[in-house]
Structures are given as C-alpha cells and as structure tokens.
C-alpha cells in the first residue's frame, strides 16, 4: 500500500501542468475558469479538438485509437492537473467517458474505427438518451420503440433530461426493439446521428436558469442497421456496462473542481469573517475531510484490480460525492449569508457559489438518485432482499 | 501510487482477524470486564504466540519492523471484536514512545518486556504536571487500563518520563468506567521518581501518531463489525411476514452505515500511509482519521442498537460493548470537535 507517486510520475505531472497552463494562458484564456457545462459551448468544442490534436484528449485509450496508453497513475495525474489549471469541464464528457469506453469494451472493430478516433479528436460529441418521462430510476421501463425497416432502424418515442443534446452530434439511446417485451428484456442500444428530420430537441430550463438538458423527440428517426452496440435485445447489458464507466478516472478531475469550490468558500469565509464562527469552522473542516476521503476512496477504487469481490469504495462513491457536494452548496450559502441570494447579473445568472448551491440539488438525482444508490448498496453490497416490483 | 493491501498485508489481516474472532469472544471479554479490563491470557497469546506485538516498532529497537499500515490492520481486527487488550497504552503509546524517543538503555530495559506482554504500560497525560528535576507531581483522572499497568508513561510540562507504577509517591485508583473493556484509573503522582525519555519530542510524536492511527483503526473495525452483525440479524429476523432487512427504511440505514465505513477505511489507511511516507498531509490526515472514524463507530454502534430493537438494549447482547467503546473513542486523544478545529485552522491558513 503506497500513496506517493514516483519521480517519473511527478515529472509527468509537471509536463501536464505546463502544457495545460500554457494553453489556458494563451489561445484558450477566454474559457479558463468556466464552471457551468453550457457556457461558451462553441469555444469549448474547439478546445476538445485542440486536446485531440495534441494527444491529450483520451490519454488512457490505446494509441491506435487516439490515446496514449497512459497508466492509471498517469490518468489520475492528468485529471488532477486538468482541473487544477482551471480548465473547464469536457463538453464531450459523455463521449470520452461513457460512449468511448463502451465501444472499446463491446464495439466491433469497424465501430471502433468509425467512432473512437473522432471522439478522441473532439469531432464527435455524444449525449446520453436513457431517461424517458416514464422511465427514470426505473430505466428498464423505457418505451421508445425501434424497428428494422429496409435495412435501417426506425425509432419513435421520447427521451428527456438529455444533457447537452443541443450541442451534440450523436446520441446513444436505449430502445424497446421487441414489441410487447417488458423490463430489461427486448431492449437494443443504438447510436444515432442527431442532425436529421426525425429528431427534435427542445431545451428545458433548470432551477439555476440555465438550460443544460433537453427533451429529445424521435418521430421516424433513422440509423443504419449496424448502429447497435451488442446484439439485438442485448441493450440492457450494454447500458449497464456503460454505467459502470461512470466511476472512472475522471472522478479525480471532478474532485479538483470540487477543490476549487471549497477554496472559494474558504476565501469567502476569511473575507467576511464567517471563518471565526465555530460552527462554520466545524463545517469547513468536515467539508475538507470529506473531500480528502473522496480522493483516497477513489484511489482505492481505481487501485483495486480484484474485480471478483464487491468493491465497497466503488459502490458507495456516487452517493458519497453527491451528498458531500449538496452540503457544500449549503455551506457556501451559509458563509455568504443574504449576499448569496442576490446576483449582480441583469439576467437570472449566478456566480460560482450560489450556482453551486442550486446545481448541486441535481447531483443527488442524476446518475441514480441517492435512494437508488442506497438500494444498490444494500442489495449488492450487503446482500439484503431486493425491492419488490409492482406490475404496473 | 497503489492504494490497496500488498499480499503480505492481506495475510497479516487474515491472521489477525482469525485470531481475534476465535479468541476475543464475548464470554472472555465479559470476564475481563469484571476484572481490570484486560483479557490477560489473550494478551499473552497475542504477544507471544501470534508474534504480532512488535509490528510498527523498528527491528533495530527489538520490534518486528513493518509500519503503521500493519499496526492499523491489527487494531482494526481487535476493534472488530471490542477486544479487552492494552494495545493502546502498551503498544501504540508507550512502546512507540520508547522506541522513538528512548535511549538505548531504555529501549533494552523496557521494550522486550512490553512486546512480550510481560509488562503492561499505560499513558498518563498530566496537564498539571510539575517536574522538579525528575521528581514528578501531578495527576490524570483518565488513564486507560491504569490499574493493570506496571509502567507509566507520564507526559506533561513539555517532557516525557517513565515511572514505575509501584514507585513511592504513585497512587492508582480504579474508576468505574462506562467502557469496561478499557477502564480508566486516576493516577496521582506526589514527587514520584521518573526517568526522562532521552528525546521526549520524538517519543511523544511517535506515540501520538501511532495512538491516533490505532484509535481510528479500532473505530473502523468496530463500525464494520456493527454493520456485519446487524446485516446478519436483518436477514434472520421476521416481522410483518418479511425479513426486516427487506424494509426500505431499514435497508437504507444500513446502506448509510456502509457509506460512512468505506470513508473511514480510506481515512485510516490514508493516515497510516501519510505518516509512513512522510507526506505533508500527515498531520491533517491524523486529525481527520481520528474524528471521522470515531464518529463513524459511534453512529454505527448506535444504529446497531436501534436496528436490533429490544434485544439490542440488553446487557446480554454485545451491542452495548460496541456502543460504549465507540463513545470512548470519541473523547480519547482529543474530542472530535477539537480535531476538526485543528483542521479548520490548517485550511484557513491560521497555522504554519
Ligand atoms: C441535471 C440532470 C442531468 C441529466 N442528464 C441526463 C442525461 O444526459 N441523459 C439521461 O438519460 N438522463 C439524464 N438525467 C436523468 C436522470 O438520470 C433521472 O432524473 C434520474 O434517473 C431519476 O429519474 P426521474 O427523474 O424519472 O425520477 P423518478 O425515478 O421518478 O424518482 C422520483 C423520486 O422517487 C424516488 N424513487 C424512485 N424509485 C425508487 C425506489 N425504488 N426506492 C426509493 N425511492 C425511489 C427517487 O429517488 C426520487 O426521489 C439527468 C437528470 C438531471 C437532474
């Protein structure tokens, strides 16, 4: 058991930091420090391509697909330096963290060739079409229909809460391809181009005023027959494989963004005197402890190669960070006081900390709500009886 | 960076778990509780047969080598059984202080007997200590396993001394203590003769580090055992025609315990590694591990009682052993709020 990095890895860290800082000080200075997912989307697509050109987009992927074959430690280092340098989040995070790894694991050679280099080059931005109005936590209830017709899949139905669909090129969708099937059976996982007459995207405004997610309507939308990952009817397994990649190395980068948020709270507390309130001090310490434990939990989960046994650190990670960040938002507002409830912007737009307070209410919902996480932990981690299902 | 146990560490964990599960039984612990709070036969077996007592003490000082990670592994296993042993006072505090801060003569005089379990030591943190030369006057009301100790490590007034418990001027009075597996004694020194540690700073630093790691690891082991035992009960016990573990309110509470415990696990081994590797995070990690694990232990032990219903409130059931030990973990070596305020001072940049 060892925490420290080797001198060679520390050198790699310096190399990453130098390159990232140079970009953020130069050509991409205008996007440095952006914390929302939607701001300056076009410039951030250019940033995706810039990362790809310089081989920094998907460093953990094999070289042949545009990666660097980077070791786990190197991926950890890059993710940390990325956020430390104030580089904004990846607008193609769904492509590089979910679609790409799923293709690497389950895609055909032909599909890998077609998608992976373009994802790594920032030319194909993906979004995720899982949730529907009647299938949220209960993903297996999806109703969006897919049928084969003249060598093409024809898709009808509706997805909802589709993050960044309005700036994406492709969507992967879980569809019901077997008429009359129920639950996880009879589903097929399709990849579709968004720019076509059969697909309509309508933005949904969120509690912070932003519109990061959308409703996505499919009305006779089409894609070629070989657009599926896995087999016909095998979509549930593919979807579950994809979700397992949510706990990848990018979590370390996400944590550095959390670090920046906590640092902003600490600075605010020092500036307005809240730092001398004993209760605020206790909460700052708890936040600090939680963040550090998140890092070491993630390192445990990433270091663990024994996939045979239940990995407690991995199973509990989502609810841990989501709950932590929700408390962080509350702490931010308690440090700011009423000053946090007004904004200098003319429109309904919020600075980092009040926005954190509002946005973090989503963290405990998407990617499996806290209640669903507890069900999973109890059932998979502790072996307790499964939730009963209704027939409706 | 490789934050998982090595094969050797996994083996030590398995050995220690098997040893404590088999030997530190509820029956034996309860017998110890009726006496001085130590299962002496178990301590002898641990020190002499298992040969793990020298872990965390350098081989040059007569120990078994290895480090704080291995010490934590053992404390975690002992904590899971709420074993009635002087691991904290004898090994983590006194042996570590002597190994790191004692002269060669002191190491030779005391370490072999401590590691063999022939001598038991307790730590006396005397806030009011007055030292006139090596004559010590002062007291401490909360000396863990104080009545069983032959050797006292006395700290205060900027120094550390070794004092024989039977020396003139030393009075040790047992206190009826909530946690009977680690009862406190009041120790009073009235001009008692002490032998100063050669390097008191090094000694107290090593003792503090090892002590905090051991307490945190004990808390982790205790919390995990509280969860495991409650899960077993939840599968077994039927109400309303269903196993109680199938009720969502019940399941979710167990899930929350697991979420805390996994963080506590990260905390213990982060702190142990940070100290071992001389990381600049070490001080923060120790404070974090101590308060987080003590809170986790307390919460899980409390939930253990609640989730067992009436049986959990009985003397007969072991839940109260967990609960009382967890309470003691919260105040030993500094209250949790104090540790958190230290961390706040660090992150607010109030300390160097
Ligand atoms: C900001 C944001 C971005 C999103 N982005 C995407 C995206 O890009 N693509 C996509 O496909 N989806 C996305 N989602 C959707 C997200 O995955 C769903 O919102 C989530 O799975 C919950 O589904 P639901 O909204 O239908 O709520 P429901 O499932 O209806 O849940 C409502 C409430 O009931 C509780 N509940 C439900 N089932 C149980 C149970 N068995 N036990 C206990 N409690 C239960 C839930 O915890 C919740 O509190 C996004 C959501 C948000 C908020």
């Amino acid at each position: 058991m060892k925490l420290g990095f080797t001198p060679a890895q520390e050198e790699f860290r310096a190399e990453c930091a130098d390159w990232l800082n140079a970009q953020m000080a130069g050509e991409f200075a205008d996007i440095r420090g952006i914390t929302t997912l939607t701001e300056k989307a076009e410039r951030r697509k250019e940033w995706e391509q810039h990362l790809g050109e310089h081989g920094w987009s998907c460093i953990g992927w094999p070289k042949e697909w545009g990666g660097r074959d980077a070791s786990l430690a190197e991926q950890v280092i890059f993710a940390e330096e990325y956020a430390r340098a104030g580089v904004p989040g990846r607008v193609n995070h769904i492509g590089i963290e979910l679609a790409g790894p799923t293709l690497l694991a389950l895609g055909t050679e032909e599909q890998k060739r077609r998608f992976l280099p373009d994802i790594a080059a920032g030319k194909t931005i993906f979004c995720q079409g899982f949730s529907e109005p009647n299938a949220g936590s209960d993903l297996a209830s999806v109703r969006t229909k897919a049928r084969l017709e003249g060598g093409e899949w024809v898709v009808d139905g509706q997805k909802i809460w589709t993050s960044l669909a309005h700036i994406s090129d492709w969507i992967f969708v879980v569809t019901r391809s077997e008429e009359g099937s129920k639950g996880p059976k009879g589903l097929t996982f399709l990849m579709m181009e968004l720019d076509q007459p059969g697909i309509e995207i309508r933005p949904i405004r969120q509690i912070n005023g932003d519109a990061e997610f959308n409703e996505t309507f499919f009305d006779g939308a089409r894609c070629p027959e070989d657009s599926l990952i896995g087999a016909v009817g095998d979509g549930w397994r593919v979807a579950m494989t994809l979700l397992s990649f949510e706990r990848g190395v990018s979590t370390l980068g996400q944590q550095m963004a959390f670090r920046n948020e906590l640092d902003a709270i600490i600075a605010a507390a020092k500036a307005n005197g809240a730092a001398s309130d004993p209760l605020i001090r206790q909460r700052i310490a708890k936040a600090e402890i939680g963040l550090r434990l998140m890092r070491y939990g993630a390192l445990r989960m990433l270091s663990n190669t024994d996939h045979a046994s239940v990995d407690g650190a991995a199973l509990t990670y989502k609810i841990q960070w989501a709950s932590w960040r929700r408390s962080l938002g509350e702490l931010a507002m308690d440090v700011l006081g009423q000053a946090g409830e007004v904004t200098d912007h003319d429109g309904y737009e919020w600075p980092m900390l009040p926005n954190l307070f509002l946005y973090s209410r989503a963290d405990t919902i998407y990617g499996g709500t806290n209640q669903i996480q507890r069900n999973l932990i109890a059932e998979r981690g502790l072996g307790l009886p499964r939730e009963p299902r209704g027939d409706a | 960076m490789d934050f998982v146990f090595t094969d050797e560490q996994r083996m030590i964990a398995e050995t220690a778990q098997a040893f404590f599960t088999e030997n530190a039984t509820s029956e034996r612990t309860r017998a110890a509780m009726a006496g001085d709070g130590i299962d002496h036969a178990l301590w002898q077996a641990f020190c002499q047969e298992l040969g793990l007592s020298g872990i965390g003490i350098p081989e040059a000082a007569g120990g078994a080598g290895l480090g704080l990670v291995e010490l934590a592994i053992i404390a975690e296993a002992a904590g899971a059984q709420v074993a009635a042993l002087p691991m904290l006072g004898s090994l983590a505090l006194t042996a570590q202080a002597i190994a790191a801060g004692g002269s060669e003569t002191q190491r030779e005089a005391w370490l072999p007997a401590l590691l063999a379990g022939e001598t038991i030591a307790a730590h006396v943190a005397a806030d009011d200590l007055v030292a006139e030369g090596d004559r010590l006057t002062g007291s401490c009301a909360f000396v863990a396993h104080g009545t069983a100790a032959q050797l006292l490590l006395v700290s205060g007034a900027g120094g550390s001394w070794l004092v024989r418990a039977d020396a003139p001027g030393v009075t040790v009075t047992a206190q009826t203590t909530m946690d009977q597996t680690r009862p406190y004694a009041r120790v009073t020194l009235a001009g008692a003769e002490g032998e100063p540690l050669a390097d008191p700073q090094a000694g107290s630093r090593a003792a503090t580090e090892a002590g905090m790691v051991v307490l945190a690891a004990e808390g982790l082991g205790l919390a995990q055992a509280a969860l495991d035992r409650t899960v077993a009960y939840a599968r077994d016990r039927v109400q309303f025609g269903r196993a109680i573990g199938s009720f969502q309110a019940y399941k979710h509470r167990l899930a929350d315990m697991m979420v805390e415990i996994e963080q506590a696990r990260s905390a213990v081994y982060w702190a142990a590694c940070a100290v071992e590797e001389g990381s600049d995070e070490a001080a923060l990690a120790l404070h974090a591990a101590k308060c987080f694990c003590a809170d986790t232990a307390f919460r899980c032990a409390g939930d253990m009682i609640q989730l067992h219903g009436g049986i959990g409130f009985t003397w007969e059931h072991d839940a109260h052993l967990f609960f009382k030990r967890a309470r003691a973990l919260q105040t030993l070596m500094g209250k949790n709020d104090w540790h958190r305020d230290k961390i706040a001072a660090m992150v607010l940049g109030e300390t160097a």
Side-chain angles (χ1 to χ4, degrees):
Chain A
M1 183 169 256
K2 190 170 170 6
L3 286 178
F5 291 91
T6 65
Q9 288 164 347
E10 291 300 346
E11 244 170 67
F12 178 75
R13 185 184 290 281
E15 188 195 333
C16 297
D18 286 350
W19 188 80
L20 289 162
N21 282 312
Q23 312 313 306
M24 286 297 118
E27 201 186 328
F28 289 94
D30 58 319
I31 59 167
R32 188 172 212 167
I34 292 179
T35 54
T36 71
L37 269 175
T38 46
E39 201 178 334
K40 297 207 172 131
E42 286 310 313
R43 280 290 283 153
R44 288 162 72 181
K45 284 189 186 179
E46 287 167 31
W47 168 244
E48 286 291 327
Q49 294 175 8
H50 188 74
L51 280 169
E53 271 163 41
H54 291 83
W56 287 112
S57 179
C58 303
I59 64 170
W61 292 9
K63 284 209 179 79
E64 64 171 319
W65 306 126
R68 290 187 177 225
D69 280 317
S71 69
L72 174 67
E74 287 169 340
Q75 294 175 59
V76 166
I77 288 167
F78 182 75
E80 291 186 341
E81 292 314 312
Y82 185 93
R84 204 196 309 272
V87 191
R90 303 285 298 268
V91 286
N92 198 20
H93 73 271
I94 291 174
I96 61 178
E97 285 153 26
L98 301 180
T102 305
L103 282 159
L104 276 168
L106 303 173
T108 62
E109 280 305 297
E110 158 62 22
Q111 287 171 331
K112 289 181 196 170
R113 207 169 316 125
R114 181 154 143 229
F115 287 103
L116 292 176
D118 279 356
I119 294 175
K123 290 179 191 150
T124 301
I125 313 272
F126 262 100
C127 64
Q128 174 176 18
F130 278 19
S131 304
E132 297 181 5
N134 287 307
S137 300
D138 185 14
L139 177 62
S141 293
V142 292
R143 294 181 190 169
T144 294
K145 285 202 175 86
R147 65 196 145 86
L148 270 175
E149 196 182 279
E152 281 188 320
W153 287 101
V154 181
V155 176
D156 292 288
Q158 184 197 344
K159 295 291 174 182
I160 194 168
W161 321 125
T162 330
S163 295
L164 301 180
H166 55 298
I167 61 160
S168 298
D169 309 302
W170 285 75
I171 184 168
F172 50 80
V173 281
V174 178
T175 62
R176 191 156 296 285
S177 56
E178 189 185 311
E179 182 96 48
S181 66
K182 267 195 166 174
K185 295 202 184 78
L187 302 177
T188 295
F189 188 102
L190 296 175
M191 293 179 297
M192 307 185 75
E193 218 160 347
L194 280 165
D195 186 12
Q196 57 166 301
I199 296 184
E200 191 196 335
I201 296 165
R202 291 186 207 151
I204 307 174
R205 198 168 184 219
Q206 310 166 171
I207 65 172
N208 61 349
D210 199 2
E212 165 194 321
F213 54 30
N214 304 272
E215 291 178 286
T216 310
F217 295 91
F218 299 79
D219 182 8
R222 283 163 190 272
C223 61
E225 187 169 359
D226 63 358
S227 304
L228 76 178
I229 302 187
V232 175
D234 202 20
W236 182 253
R237 187 177 67 97
V238 182
M240 292 302 110
T241 304
L242 179 136
L243 291 179
S244 74
F245 295 119
E246 276 184 342
R247 297 186 293 247
V249 177
S250 63
T251 50
L252 269 305
Q254 185 193 35
Q255 287 177 21
M256 295 307 288
F258 297 167
R259 170 84 265 164
N260 295 340
E261 291 165 353
L262 176 52
D263 284 345
I265 293 171
I266 289 169
K270 277 167 46 175
N272 74 3
S276 60
D277 174 340
L279 291 177
I280 292 286
R281 294 171 72 84
Q282 288 289 312
R283 288 168 67 190
I284 287 176
K286 283 186 181 173
E288 182 71 36
I289 294 168
L291 181 59
R292 304 282 182 135
L293 298 185
M294 215 182 289
R295 176 165 199 261
Y296 293 103
L299 292 181
R300 273 174 59 211
M301 139 181 130
L302 294 167
S303 300
N304 180 20
T305 47
D306 169 22
H307 298 298
S309 56
V310 175
D311 180 351
L315 199 53
T316 54
Y317 188 74
K318 165 75 209 311
I319 191 171
Q320 180 191 337
W321 76 254
S323 305
W324 176 87
R325 192 154 181 256
R326 188 171 63 187
S327 310
L328 191 73
E330 292 167 4
L331 174 61
M333 290 302 274
D334 290 340
V335 164
L336 294 176
Q338 279 183 313
E341 296 169 41
V342 292
T343 173
D344 290 340
H345 289 283
D346 294 334
Y348 198 83
E349 258 180 71
W350 294 92
M352 181 193 201
L353 294 181
N355 190 58
L356 160 69
F357 169 68
L358 293 173
Y359 192 87
S360 60
R361 305 311 298 200
D363 292 333
T364 52
I365 296 173
Y366 65 73
T369 68
N370 274 16
Q371 289 71 39
I372 296 301
Q373 297 300 328
R374 290 190 181 96
N375 285 346
L376 291 174
I377 293 166
E379 291 166 19
R380 294 196 196 153
L382 302 173
L384 290 162
R386 294 181 66 107
E387 287 297 299
R389 269 206 82 90
D391 282 331
Chain B
M1 190 281 296
D2 194 21
F3 199 29
V4 283
F5 285 160
T6 60
D7 288 342
E8 188 186 16
Q9 288 165 342
R10 200 166 304 126
M11 247 169 58
I12 294 174
E14 279 164 19
T15 308
Q17 277 160 16
F19 176 80
F20 288 115
T21 312
E22 191 184 324
N23 298 299
T25 57
S26 172
E27 205 183 357
R28 289 182 60 167
T29 300
R30 283 159 189 266
M33 284 157 55
D36 62 4
I38 295 178
D39 179 344
H40 288 275
L42 181 66
W43 188 236
Q44 295 291 318
F46 171 75
C47 292
Q48 293 173 13
E49 289 156 37
L50 205 63
L52 291 176
S53 61
I55 273 184
I57 306 278
E59 283 172 75
L66 303 170
L68 284 186
V69 173
E70 290 80 7
L71 186 63
I73 289 173
I74 291 170
E76 183 187 341
Q81 294 295 113
V82 202
L85 298 175
M87 196 171 284
L88 177 69
S90 259
L91 294 187
L93 299 174
T94 310
Q96 287 280 342
I98 295 173
S103 65
E104 203 174 323
T105 324
Q106 287 170 330
R107 291 204 299 260
E108 277 166 13
W110 294 107
L111 282 180
L114 279 174
L115 300 190
E118 286 154 7
T119 296
I120 286 171
H123 178 226
V124 182
D127 293 335
D128 59 350
L129 194 72
V130 177
E132 288 171 76
D134 293 326
R135 296 278 166 186
L136 307 174
T137 299
S139 67
C140 173
F142 310 107
V143 178
H145 284 140
T147 57
Q150 293 90 39
L151 176 66
L152 303 173
L153 170 69
V154 178
S155 60
S160 286
W161 291 264
L162 297 170
V163 176
R164 287 170 197 271
D166 61 2
V170 178
T171 319
V172 179
T173 321
Q175 299 224 61
T176 301
T177 304
M178 194 178 275
D179 173 13
Q180 293 173 294
T181 64
R182 193 152 52 202
Y184 294 124
R186 177 186 297 279
V187 172
T188 308
L189 307 171
E193 191 180 341
E195 189 193 316
L197 273 193
D199 184 346
Q201 267 84 33
S204 89
R205 185 186 161 134
T208 305
E209 289 170 351
M212 276 162 56
V213 166
V214 160
L215 291 178
E218 248 184 38
L220 166 63
L222 186 156
Q224 180 72 59
L227 173 60
D228 293 345
R229 291 188 190 206
T230 310
V231 166
Y233 189 68
R235 293 210 198 116
D236 224 41
R237 168 86 177 159
V238 172
Q239 288 290 279
F240 300 95
R242 294 159 60 175
I244 53 174
S246 69
F247 295 111
Q248 198 177 64
Y250 196 111
K251 267 167 89 166
H252 282 191
R253 200 143 162 182
L254 292 172
D256 285 339
M257 288 162 79
M258 182 165 171
V259 174
E260 294 293 306
I261 289 167
E262 288 302 329
Q263 293 178 79
R265 194 177 310 286
S266 301
V268 167
Y269 292 101
W270 166 42
C273 285
V275 172
E276 285 285 291
E277 296 176 26
S279 153
D280 53 14
E281 288 186 328
L284 198 155
L286 285 167
H287 288 299
K290 161 61 181 55
C291 67
F292 194 91
C293 295
D295 277 344
T296 301
F298 184 72
R299 175 185 179 164
C300 291
D303 281 352
M304 181 184 189
I305 295 178
Q306 178 65 24
L307 296 177
H308 275 78
I311 189 80
F313 186 68
T314 61
W315 190 268
E316 181 193 346
H317 196 276
D318 283 345
H320 72 107
L321 307 188
F322 285 73
F323 186 67
K324 293 166 183 173
R325 172 69 74 86
R327 166 61 212 179
L329 288 177
Q330 293 200 295
T331 45
L332 271 162
M333 297 188 80
K335 287 194 275 189
N336 294 336
D337 285 355
W338 176 81
H339 287 286
R340 279 190 288 268
D341 202 69
K342 287 274 177 200
I343 291 176
M346 288 179 194
V347 302
L348 288 162
E350 294 164 0
T351 50

